[in-house]
Amino acid sequence: MKKHLFLGVLAAALLLSGCAKKSKGLVTVEIWHTYNGTQQEYLVNAAEKFNQSQSDYVVKVLAQDYSGFADTVYNAVANGIGPSIIFNYGSTAVSYAKEGLAVDISKYIKEDIKKGDSTMQDIIDSLPSSMQADVKGFEDGGIYYLPGCTTGPVFFYNKTLFDELGLVPPKDWKELEQVCKTIYEKKGIAGYHADGLVDNIQTMIMQSGMGYIDVENKKVLFGGEKMEKIYQWYADCCKKGYFEFNTVGKYSSEDLAAGIIASFSGSCVNDQYVKMINGEELGIAPWISSSNGVDFYTAWNRGPIFLKRADDVDKGAYEFVKFFLSPSMNSGWAKANSALSPYGTTQKEADYQSYLKNLPATSALPSVQANIPVSGSFPNVNGGAQIRNILVEYLNNVVDNKMTAKQAVEKLVEDCNKALNE
C-alpha cells in the first residue's frame, strides 16, 4: 500500500467522515464497514447502546461501497481523515501497523489494569491458547486487532454415497486418502476437493510439528523432508484421481451437488449453498483437527482493527470495542454473523449457550464448535499474506509436474523468507 492521494476517493471519504470533530462536546469515533442486513443492523444498534451507556464518546457507523473499500480506507487513514475501526482479518492490520497507521491498544489495557479494570485483558486471555497468535503475533508485540467472531472449515460430503460404500468422514489425512481411494475405485469420481487449499497446507504443516514462522528471526520454520512429503502426498493423491485439484464448476459446492466430487472441506457458510440435485443427502462433519498425534485446526477470525486518528479518538475506539466484546454484545454479534465466538467469556453467557442449542439441524457450526478447543492461528507479520499464496503456488507446480517436491520446497522456503524480510 502506498500513500497516494486519490482526490476522488478522499473527497468521498471527507463527506462521510467529517474531520473527527467533537459532536456536542463528545469525541466522535467512526466505524466504516461494508456489512448489510442483519450485521449492519446489529452494528448500528451496538453503537447506539454504547452511546447511551457513557457520556464521553459518540460512535458513528458509516456504510461504504464494497468495491474499492480497502483503497478508500487506506488512503483516508494515511491522510488523517479515515475511520477508527474497520472489521477484517488480522492480516489486514499488518500494513497499517507497519506504516504507523494502526493503534496498539496494549497501552489502554495496561492503563485499565492500573485502575483495577481487567475487562479487556480477561476477554483476550479467554481465547484458546493456540489462537493467541492471531492477537499477539504482530512483529512488535502490539495488539492492533481483536477477533469479533469465528468461523472455519468443515467437511461436506455426499452422505448417500458414503453410506452406500460403508464410509465415514475421515479423522486424519491417511483416512482421507483411503476414503477417496475407495470412492475413486468404486464410483470413478474424485473423493475430495480442498475449497481453501492453503488452509489444508497450513494445517498439515502444524500437525507435522514443523511450526510456521519464526517471527523474531523472520524466517519460516517449515521445509525439508517433512514439507516435501506433504507436497508429494497431496500431488500423488491428485494424480491418482483421489483428489480433484481444481473445480469443474465455479464452486466446490456445485461439484458436490452435481456428483462430480464426493466431498470437500470448506467454509461452514456452505451449509446455506450446497443443494444436492439428485435426491442425495448432504452430510456435514468436523474437519480434520488431529494427525501425527498433534492437534491443530485453522480458525478464521474477523474483527475490529484499530486505526489511528487522534489520542482521544483512539481511546474512544478502544472503549467501544471493549463494550462490543462484552459477553452479551459479542454473543449477539456471533448470532448476527451465523458464526461462533472464540472467547471463553462469551461462551459462558446464557444467551450464547441457548443460541448453540437451537441451531438448525442443517447448520455446520456444531462441526466448527467441535474443533474450537484446538483451534489455532498464525502470526500477523509482514509477508504473512504472501506466504499463503506461495504455499499454493508451489504445490500447484508439483501437481502439474513442473517441479519435483524437493525443488518446489527449496524454492518455497527461499520465496517465503524473502517475503518476510521485504
Side-chain angles (χ1 to χ4, degrees):
M1 297 184 182
K2 298 180 179 180
K3 296 182 182 178
H4 292 310
L5 180 60
F6 295 105
L7 295 179
V9 170
L10 291 181
L14 277 166
L15 288 173
L16 284 169
S17 87
C19 289
K21 293 180 180 178
K22 291 189 175 183
S23 176
K24 297 182 180 178
L26 304 181
V27 176
T28 298
V29 175
E30 294 179 1
I31 300 173
W32 290 12
H33 72 94
T34 58
Y35 293 115
N36 51 43
T38 303
Q39 293 99 330
Q40 178 174 246
E41 181 181 352
Y42 190 84
L43 197 55
V44 170
N45 289 338
E48 291 175 353
K49 288 181 179 179
F50 174 74
N51 293 342
Q52 294 167 6
S53 72
Q54 46 73 50
S55 57
D56 295 318
Y57 309 100
V58 57
V59 171
K60 294 183 178 180
V61 178
L62 303 174
Q64 301 262 349
D65 289 336
Y66 181 82
S67 177
F69 179 70
D71 287 340
T72 298
V73 171
Y74 187 82
N75 284 287
V77 172
N79 286 275
I81 57 173
S84 294
I85 297 169
I86 59 171
F87 284 72
N88 214 312
Y89 299 103
S91 56
T92 301
V94 173
S95 295
Y96 288 100
K98 183 180 180 181
E99 297 293 331
L101 299 175
V103 179
D104 179 3
I105 63 167
S106 299
K107 57 185 176 183
Y108 301 129
I109 296 173
K110 292 175 182 177
E111 289 173 3
D112 278 353
I113 291 174
K114 285 183 180 180
K115 295 184 293 186
D117 179 5
S118 64
T119 302
M120 186 66 96
Q121 188 65 61
D122 292 342
I123 289 170
I124 295 173
D125 288 345
S126 76
L127 287 167
S129 58
S130 57
M131 201 184 286
Q132 295 282 337
D134 200 36
V135 173
K136 301 177 181 179
F138 290 86
E139 290 182 61
D140 62 358
I143 299 176
Y144 300 95
Y145 140 93
L146 289 170
C149 57
T150 295
T151 58
V154 302
F155 187 67
F156 294 94
Y157 64 103
N158 184 326
K159 188 174 186 302
T160 302
L161 186 151
F162 269 57
D163 289 348
E164 176 190 338
L165 299 178
L167 302 173
V168 295
K171 297 295 179 59
D172 61 31
W173 303 101
K174 290 181 180 179
E175 288 186 12
L176 176 65
E177 179 181 4
Q178 187 56 51
V179 163
C180 294
K181 180 177 185 291
T182 299
I183 291 170
Y184 182 74
E185 291 177 348
K186 299 291 185 181
K187 295 295 182 178
I189 63 172
Y192 172 73
H193 177 259
D195 185 12
L197 180 58
V198 65
D199 299 295
N200 277 206
I201 302 171
Q202 288 176 319
T203 297
M204 286 189 280
I205 286 172
M206 297 305 292
Q207 291 175 355
S208 74
M210 284 186 285
Y212 196 65
I213 295 175
D214 179 343
V215 176
E216 182 177 355
N217 294 303
K218 296 185 178 181
K219 65 179 183 178
V220 294
L221 296 170
F222 51 81
E225 290 186 3
K226 285 187 176 181
M227 193 68 191
E228 289 170 24
K229 287 181 179 179
I230 290 173
Y231 270 23
Q232 191 63 61
W233 173 78
Y234 203 99
D236 286 346
C237 286
C238 291
K239 292 172 185 178
K240 292 174 183 177
Y242 303 164
F243 297 174
E244 180 61 63
F245 194 75
N246 298 302
T247 58
V248 175
K250 190 174 182 180
Y251 302 108
S252 300
S253 55
E254 291 180 1
D255 286 3
L256 176 61
I260 296 170
I261 57 174
S263 70
F264 73 90
S265 64
S267 172
C268 55
V269 302
N270 278 288
D271 60 10
Q272 305 169 53
Y273 303 113
V274 182
K275 307 295 181 184
M276 306 298 282
I277 61 177
N278 296 316
E280 296 168 319
E281 183 181 356
L282 173 66
I284 303 173
W287 182 227
I288 295 169
S289 62
S290 182
S291 198
N292 302 308
V294 179
D295 295 331
F296 187 87
Y297 172 76
T298 302
W300 302 329
N301 302 309
R302 184 181 176 92
I305 295 173
F306 300 89
L307 302 176
K308 186 167 291 186
R309 289 298 296 266
D311 290 344
D312 53 353
V313 181
D314 298 345
K315 179 65 183 301
Y318 167 79
E319 293 295 338
F320 170 75
V321 172
K322 183 165 66 172
F323 171 85
F324 189 71
L325 295 182
S326 63
S328 62
M329 296 301 300
N330 186 235
S331 172
W333 184 239
K335 288 190 286 185
N337 285 272
S338 298
L340 299 172
S341 170
Y343 297 105
T345 46
T346 299
Q347 292 163 12
K348 298 175 183 177
E349 209 264 338
D351 184 61
Y352 184 75
Q353 290 293 325
S354 176
Y355 161 61
L356 294 182
K357 290 177 181 178
N358 293 288
L359 288 169
T362 55
S363 174
L365 284 180
S367 292
V368 179
Q369 179 71 14
N371 286 333
I372 286 294
V374 296
S375 61
S377 51
F378 301 97
N380 290 310
V381 296
N382 182 54
Q386 292 94 312
I387 287 175
R388 287 174 57 86
N389 296 330
I390 294 168
L391 286 168
V392 172
E393 175 188 351
Y394 283 104
L395 177 55
N396 202 341
N397 287 336
V398 180
V399 172
D400 288 344
N401 293 315
K402 294 178 180 178
M403 304 177 94
T404 65
K406 182 176 178 62
Q407 290 170 338
V409 170
E410 288 176 352
K411 194 68 170 64
L412 161 75
V413 171
E414 179 185 333
D415 286 1
C416 286
N417 288 338
K418 180 179 179 181
L420 290 171
N421 287 274
E422 287 181 343

